[in-house]
Amino acid sequence: MATNISTAMLAQLQQRHTITALVENHPGVLARVSGLFARRGYNIESLAVSVTENPDISRMTIVVGGDHLVLEQITKQLHKLIEVIKVVDYTEQPAVDRELALIKVGAEPRHRNEIMQIVEIFRGRIIDMSDKTFIIEVTGGSEKLDKVAELLGAYGIKELVRTGIIAMARGPRTA
Amino acid sequence: MKMSGAKILLECLRREGVQHVFGYPGGAVLPIYDALYDCTEIEHVLVRHEQGAAHMADGYARATGKVGVCLSTSGPGATNMVTGIATAYMDSIPMVAITGQVRTSVIGKDAFQEVDATGVTLPVTKHNFLVKRTADLPRVIAEAFYIARTGRPGPVVIDLPLDVSIDQIEWDPESYTQNVDIPSYRPNTRGHELQIKKAAQAIAEAQRPVLYVGGGCVAAGAQMELTELSERTNILTTTTLLGKGSIDETHRNSIGMLGMHGTAYANHAVNNCDLLIAVGARFDDRVTGKVDRFAPNAKIIHIDIDPAEIGKVVQPDIPIVGDVKLVLQDLLKHVKPRPWSSWNDQIMEWKRLFPLLYPDDGKLYAEYIIEKIGEATDWKAIMTTDVGQHQMWAAQYYKTRRTRQFITSGGLGTMGYGMPAAIGVQKAFPDETVVCLSGDGSFQMCTQELMTASVYGLPIIVAIINNRSLGMVRQWQHMFYSQRYSHTNLEASPDYVRLAEAYGAVGMRVAQPGEVVSVLERALAVRDRPTVIDCVIPTEENVYPFIPSGQTVEQMMIRKDLEQLKAKVHTDSEVWSFADEERVLEQYVETVEKNQ
């Protein structure tokens, strides 16, 4: 399966953009943004929202697919929403991005050591344990999380949840 | 001063300069209607259906350039307005729609007549508000009007819960201010200096330029600047349906409307131009047909206030974001005069080759009626239309002299728009002649508003172009569905003369061309009530020219009898030789080949 994905995924990756929108922290703003994406047929891969250092402002980090023309339209359409204050595209500037995953994986006693090794290599943490399962917490870039999930797949993933990417510009620059 | 939310609302509307509100009462807006009961400064127009209220506010806004205001109750009142709000949204019309809402304490509990109005109208408004506290009301109203009228205009919905209208708060009306500052909303109005210089340069260098003008020119009030540009550079000008009147259509530089039912010469001009100057236009599919074959050899200058329009459909070579009026003013500082060119002669030859003509064979045609309406009113009447064949004939034959004179639903194509819009227009300009050109299909979509026109004694003239069918759909069935006229027959319709009379309007019927002038004279003499003229035309008439959806100028259909019609016209006017015609045709083919 991995080989099947590679070419298609590579093309996808080239067309994947991480953008951040600073928005007024009002009820309904999320609906406006997600409605816009649905209406105009833009494809959201992930969306993370939370309040910022200023409680009046929320920050949305959106990962979208599409070429630069599509991205330009998305940016402009986002700007048209009255409650959107600023839109930044992190694709072409130095930025860090992170995502967090919680993975509930089958952990029979005979597999526990192997799983713990994987967790250690990827600097994850085991944050819950039962007689049959672990919950593993991993943070990192999306590809790292993909890889961890793939490796843990061998032991049976019971449940998986990811936060979606959040991003920030490197250096003193702010959004 | 202690004031209820309802009183505050009216005071704020008054301070926004609102003189007319089009609306319909209901449970959730009782406090507002109670406040209206002794409000002398705002006239409320009671409609018969909330859709009518929204179209009236829209017509009012298009005719005046001011923000139109409509009001409905919650639930069905709000949903009934949605079509009208969407109509305004698609055509960028400034409007504030106030919808009642159930009490804040029961929102989300499926209360009686509850609907999520902000949710429902989200995709069809520029912005919307749900007011949760009376104290927020003045700010929300100021912001709503500001957002509706600035930048690219559009409708704004204010959803107003019952308790917010009832609650009394301490408020000083003098504190109301129209100076609104929304940090996240600051439209650019001034065009980029360098881009404007580039545009001027491109205009200077172009061999075959054409101006393509849309509703943005009307919204910006830039008719003078546009005409100045066209005159100074001798660039011939075509407009979209919504741009009609941006240049006087009797001006020699006007080449009429372009697009699907545009003039053949405007379409040939755009197809062969080397510079297309798009002014406040959005490259709508009814204009472009197949996008990648639209103006295939042209460099494109795109002037628009909305940055998102730049590159949405076509990638311009020189984008200029700004208010059309200000950009044109700046552009005029750099643009040098150009003489009348051989390219213009070429376009004029196309005009002689493919004129707009209709038969003079004793039958009554819509085109004739439209021309007679124009002549009878010295082309000064404000015309509203509905949607369909009659709308396209009106666009082709009603020579619009100025902006805000031709009022029509373009983007959404809303049947039923015309008559309520005419009511809004007549309310704004009681002394003007307002004619609604409608169809028998469209008229029946908002017939109830005839009562509104009647009650308020509005002398609108509704000319129903009655072909006893849904003509435009029928036309497509005729051409693309093997003449299978599925459900487009409207033979079973009311007697419009008696219907008009039942509503207290004057009803007339005309079926012969010879009767049109006298019928119009009689209709124009009525000044205290509406007149409905049932104009009986042949069912089989189709609108030409016609570029089928998604196609190019090469597929343009011209009416089959054009040659005979031309021969007839030219025997009594100018001399026309077929040798001339062949030469022009050859030239056209050469130009097309050379350019592609």
Side-chain angles (χ1 to χ4, degrees):
Chain A
M1 193 171 151
T3 48
N4 271 348
I5 296 167
S6 61
T7 29
M9 267 225 325
L10 218 67
Q12 266 261 299
L13 279 175
Q14 285 162 353
Q15 304 223 316
R16 185 186 277 179
H17 300 264
T18 305
I19 54 181
T20 277
L22 295 181
V23 301
E24 301 278 352
N25 186 11
H26 293 166
V29 179
L30 180 59
R32 286 182 206 281
V33 171
S34 59
L36 169 72
F37 276 76
R39 202 157 66 238
R40 303 246 174 215
Y42 307 139
N43 189 19
I44 299 185
E45 291 186 18
S46 83
L47 169 65
V49 194
S50 73
V51 76
T52 62
E53 71 283 0
N54 176 348
D56 295 332
I57 293 174
S58 292
R59 182 165 173 144
M60 295 186 181
T61 311
I62 309 164
V63 180
V64 289
D67 60 22
H68 73 281
L69 291 177
V70 171
L71 191 81
E72 191 181 315
Q73 263 299 305
I74 292 175
T75 310
K76 286 171 170 177
Q77 294 290 352
L78 276 173
H79 263 301
K80 266 177 85 167
L81 297 177
I82 307 293
E83 287 154 326
V84 171
I85 301 161
K86 195 171 181 190
V87 183
V88 185
D89 178 7
Y90 283 125
T91 317
E92 276 162 23
Q93 57 167 292
V96 286
D97 57 54
R98 287 293 180 272
E99 192 177 0
L100 182 145
L102 296 179
I103 305 167
K104 186 176 286 180
V105 65
E108 298 291 339
R110 61 197 164 96
H111 289 142
R112 283 185 189 165
N113 273 337
E114 290 171 36
I115 294 173
M116 285 163 73
Q117 271 181 10
I118 294 171
V119 171
E120 194 171 330
I121 289 165
F122 286 96
R123 297 199 186 90
R125 294 200 299 157
I126 295 166
I127 54 174
D128 183 63
M129 179 178 169
S130 71
D131 52 349
K132 289 188 188 126
T133 58
F134 282 156
I135 295 179
I136 295 159
E137 172 201 306
V138 210
T139 58
S142 295
E143 286 159 68
K144 173 179 162 187
L145 303 195
D146 290 343
K147 193 70 196 167
V148 175
E150 188 193 320
L151 289 170
L152 291 175
Y155 309 97
I157 291 176
K158 312 286 182 202
E159 213 175 349
L160 185 148
V161 57
R162 293 165 70 147
T163 57
I165 288 172
I166 54 172
M168 197 174 269
R170 287 189 185 274
R173 285 183 63 174
T174 56
Chain B
M1 178 167 26
K2 208 88 167 147
M3 281 173 89
S4 70
K7 285 242 163 72
I8 292 173
L9 169 71
L10 295 190
E11 179 60 23
C12 295
L13 292 183
R14 194 182 68 78
R15 285 172 184 268
E16 286 291 338
V18 176
Q19 290 166 313
H20 296 92
V21 171
F22 304 90
Y24 201 90
V29 284
L30 272 166
I32 302 172
Y33 275 84
D34 189 61
L36 273 167
Y37 195 64
D38 39 34
C39 174
T40 50
E41 285 156 303
I42 298 172
E43 186 190 355
H44 177 268
V45 176
L46 176 63
V47 302
R48 290 298 179 271
H49 185 287
E50 291 90 346
Q51 182 184 347
H55 289 329
M56 286 175 208
D58 171 313
Y60 184 93
R62 291 190 207 226
T64 60
K66 294 198 288 190
V67 180
V69 180
C70 51
L71 170 62
S72 79
T73 192
S74 61
T79 53
N80 278 347
M81 286 216 294
V82 170
T83 300
I85 294 167
T87 304
Y89 181 69
M90 287 295 272
D91 291 346
S92 308
I93 303 307
M95 190 162 110
V96 168
I98 301 160
T99 54
Q101 182 55 280
V102 300
R103 289 170 186 275
T104 48
S105 55
V106 295
I107 287 180
K109 305 226 171 11
D110 303 324
F112 176 65
Q113 291 195 328
E114 178 182 0
V115 77
D116 172 12
T118 48
V120 168
T121 59
L122 193 138
V124 294
T125 48
K126 185 171 173 187
H127 193 55
N128 59 25
F129 296 92
L130 168 61
V131 188
K132 294 214 172 128
R133 299 179 318 145
T134 309
D136 294 337
L137 199 49
R139 177 186 55 81
V140 166
I141 294 165
E143 288 187 3
F145 275 84
Y146 176 72
I147 290 168
R149 72 171 175 260
T150 55
R152 177 181 185 169
V156 177
V157 164
I158 303 176
D159 198 27
L160 202 51
L162 180 59
D163 51 322
V164 174
S165 302
I166 294 173
D167 286 352
Q168 304 226 342
I169 59 160
E170 201 60 46
W171 182 62
D172 172 14
E174 294 305 321
S175 68
Y176 188 80
T177 171
Q178 285 184 277
N179 297 329
V180 174
D181 180 45
I182 308 170
S184 55
Y185 173 72
R186 289 197 179 123
N188 259 341
T189 53
R190 208 94 233 183
H192 194 279
E193 175 78 23
L194 196 69
Q195 294 294 91
I196 288 170
K197 282 186 180 155
K198 270 195 209 165
Q201 181 71 20
I203 290 170
E205 285 165 4
Q207 301 292 310
R208 302 186 305 278
V210 172
L211 273 158
Y212 150 50
V213 182
C217 185
V218 178
Q223 179 173 3
M224 265 177 55
E225 288 78 3
L226 193 271
T227 306
E228 163 72 22
L229 177 65
S230 174
E231 283 176 351
R232 191 191 298 174
T233 58
N234 277 302
I235 298 177
L236 300 189
T237 303
T238 176
T239 71
T240 66
L241 184 64
L242 289 185
K244 260 175 83 71
S246 295
I247 185 165
D248 182 340
E249 291 187 312
T250 62
H251 194 292
R252 77 164 185 170
N253 286 11
S254 167
I255 50 173
M257 183 174 77
L258 81 167
M260 182 176 279
H261 292 295
T263 63
Y265 36 101
N267 285 326
H268 284 312
V270 169
N271 193 40
N272 289 286
C273 69
D274 68 351
L275 177 69
L276 187 70
I277 310 159
V279 182
R282 62 181 176 87
F283 296 85
D284 174 72
D285 58 282
R286 258 30 184 184
V287 162
T288 62
K290 196 173 162 82
V291 175
D292 50 9
R293 297 290 304 281
F294 178 69
N297 310 299
K299 184 181 252 197
I300 293 173
I301 300 173
H302 191 181
I303 305 170
D304 205 291
I305 188 132
D306 180 1
E309 281 307 329
I310 308 289
K312 187 184 80 179
V313 178
V314 303
Q315 289 298 326
D317 301 274
I318 307 174
I320 305 175
V321 175
D323 178 84
V324 164
K325 191 184 180 82
L326 299 178
V327 170
L328 289 184
Q329 281 171 357
D330 287 345
L331 186 60
L332 282 166
K333 290 176 197 155
H334 301 285
V335 168
K336 296 193 176 58
R338 289 169 55 106
W340 184 267
S341 63
S342 59
W343 160 244
N344 288 0
D345 288 334
Q346 169 76 78
I347 297 171
M348 287 300 140
E349 282 182 350
W350 286 326
K351 187 171 177 176
R352 284 204 293 153
L353 199 53
F354 308 109
L356 287 175
L357 288 175
Y358 59 91
D360 175 17
D361 57 4
K363 291 188 199 153
L364 180 61
Y365 293 107
E367 297 95 316
Y368 178 80
I369 297 162
I370 294 160
E371 286 193 332
K372 290 299 151 194
I373 290 171
E375 286 166 17
T377 60
D378 201 15
W379 302 95
K380 284 189 179 129
I382 301 174
M383 180 174 280
T384 72
T385 82
D386 269 296
V387 171
Q389 286 185 316
H390 72 273
Q391 179 190 32
M392 291 298 105
W393 282 317
Q396 293 174 340
Y397 285 88
Y398 193 68
K399 299 287 170 232
T400 310
R401 309 294 306 274
R402 60 171 180 91
T403 55
R404 308 197 178 281
Q405 194 193 350
F406 187 81
I407 289 171
T408 193
S409 164
L412 198 67
T414 309
M415 290 171 70
Y417 172 81
M419 186 168 52
I423 293 171
V425 175
Q426 189 80 78
K427 263 289 159 199
F429 298 109
D431 299 328
E432 298 282 337
T433 303
V434 182
V435 178
C436 165
L437 199 80
S438 190
D440 49 324
S442 292
F443 178 73
Q444 293 188 69
M445 283 215 180
C446 275
T447 311
Q448 74 284 346
E449 300 310 332
L450 193 51
M451 199 60 240
T452 310
S454 204
V455 169
Y456 290 90
L458 303 177
I460 59 168
I461 298 172
V462 184
I464 304 173
I465 302 300
N466 180 2
N467 60 359
R468 292 144 332 274
S469 81
L470 297 172
M472 189 56 94
V473 182
R474 187 189 186 281
Q475 174 166 348
W476 285 56
Q477 290 172 336
H478 175 81
M479 291 171 172
F480 311 121
Y481 290 86
S482 321
Q483 285 115 63
R484 289 156 54 85
Y485 301 119
S486 179
H487 299 273
T488 43
N489 186 319
L490 291 186
E491 288 290 348
S493 283
D495 177 332
Y496 297 109
V497 176
R498 285 166 60 200
L499 183 76
E501 285 162 359
Y503 276 113
V506 178
M508 300 180 189
R509 179 167 294 119
V510 57
Q512 303 297 327
E515 302 163 354
V516 171
V517 172
S518 68
V519 163
L520 281 174
E521 270 172 19
R522 279 195 289 143
L524 287 165
V526 178
R527 293 307 293 168
D528 62 346
R529 70 192 70 184
T531 303
V532 175
I533 310 173
D534 180 15
C535 309
V536 184
I537 68 154
T539 303
E540 298 75 21
E541 278 305 291
N542 289 329
V543 184
Y544 294 102
F546 179 27
I547 303 174
S549 186
Q551 305 219 21
T552 69
V553 175
E554 279 91 80
Q555 281 85 41
M556 179 160 52
M557 301 179 203
I558 304 286
R559 57 184 307 150
K560 291 197 178 73
D561 55 356
L562 188 65
E563 291 310 311
Q564 291 101 288
L565 294 178
K566 271 183 348 195
K568 211 167 172 182
V569 171
H570 292 293
T571 45
D572 31 62
S573 56
E574 56 195 290
V575 184
W576 179 264
S577 84
F578 282 95
D580 267 357
E581 197 163 302
E582 271 169 28
R583 183 179 54 77
V584 173
L585 256 175
E586 272 167 25
Q587 269 184 2
Y588 175 62
V589 173
E590 273 171 30
T591 331
V592 172
E593 280 171 358
K594 198 168 67 196
N595 296 340
Q596 287 170 359

